Amino acid sequence: MKMAVAAQGQGLDAAVDMRFGLAPLFVVVDTESLESEAIPNPALNSAGGAGIQVAQLLARSGVGAVAAGNVGPNAMSALRAAGVRVYASSGATVRETVQAFLRGELVPLDEATVPGHFGMARGGGAGAGGGVGWGGGVGRGGAGPGGGMGRGGAGAGGGMGRPMGGRGGMGPGRGGGRAGGRG
């Protein structure tokens, strides 16, 4: 049987990834020969539905079982519909997870372990910048006072978003302005 393990790298010694739909790779292992191949997650940067897309890909690849740290409700439904058994990963590496499966030690999952869209980051932010300027001057020649003129600059703003769910969310931020006067 083929078993797919959500992984952070290639090969049997790769670390298990806790996220099913957002794992960078899946190491597919033949449980009889322990031959493996890494399948990149094509839905890694999807705005939504990553778990469903991965479940369909693995089912088309002939996988009969999947192991991951967490599986969301949509991915779980897609895996069940395809007849793929789902297990909670108990090992730190792909090899340990497959060995635990072969010994019958992995816990089968009947329902999702996390809510939908778990692990997706949302970031946003705002920044402000500004500048003011003023100038003054004294006139030349004659007997009267001079006039002055000032220039103010403008600032650029950006911000940092607060990530929700554990990934990403920071952007460059700048604030400030420049000002000068000329008289």
Side-chain angles (χ1 to χ4, degrees):
M1 171 184 10
K2 286 184 177 181
M3 176 179 212
V5 181
Q8 295 177 8
Q10 298 184 16
L12 294 173
D13 295 319
V16 172
D17 198 296
M18 296 304 292
R19 303 158 303 167
F20 175 76
L22 296 176
L25 297 163
F26 288 86
V27 178
V28 178
V29 181
D30 181 315
T31 57
E32 293 176 21
S33 67
L34 293 184
E35 290 182 28
S36 66
E37 70 170 309
I39 298 177
N41 182 349
L44 185 60
N45 295 315
S46 295
I52 295 169
Q53 293 177 51
V54 171
Q56 292 169 344
L57 170 72
L58 295 176
R60 283 193 308 269
S61 298
V63 168
V66 166
N70 290 302
V71 180
N74 295 333
M76 180 63 80
S77 293
L79 289 165
R80 267 196 255 167
V84 177
R85 294 182 299 210
V86 182
Y87 295 89
S89 178
S90 64
T93 66
V94 172
R95 183 184 311 275
E96 291 169 1
T97 299
V98 172
Q99 289 171 343
F101 172 77
L102 293 172
R103 291 190 302 266
E105 297 172 359
L106 288 187
V107 176
L109 298 175
D110 294 324
E111 57 187 42
T113 58
V114 293
H117 303 286
F118 181 80
M120 291 188 70
R122 291 189 184 121
V132 290
W134 57 274
V138 176
R140 280 196 261 175
M149 217 169 131
R151 285 196 299 194
M160 291 184 2
R162 180 179 177 151
M164 294 171 35
R167 289 188 57 190
M170 287 214 265
R174 282 193 298 245
R178 56 185 195 119
R182 195 188 285 188

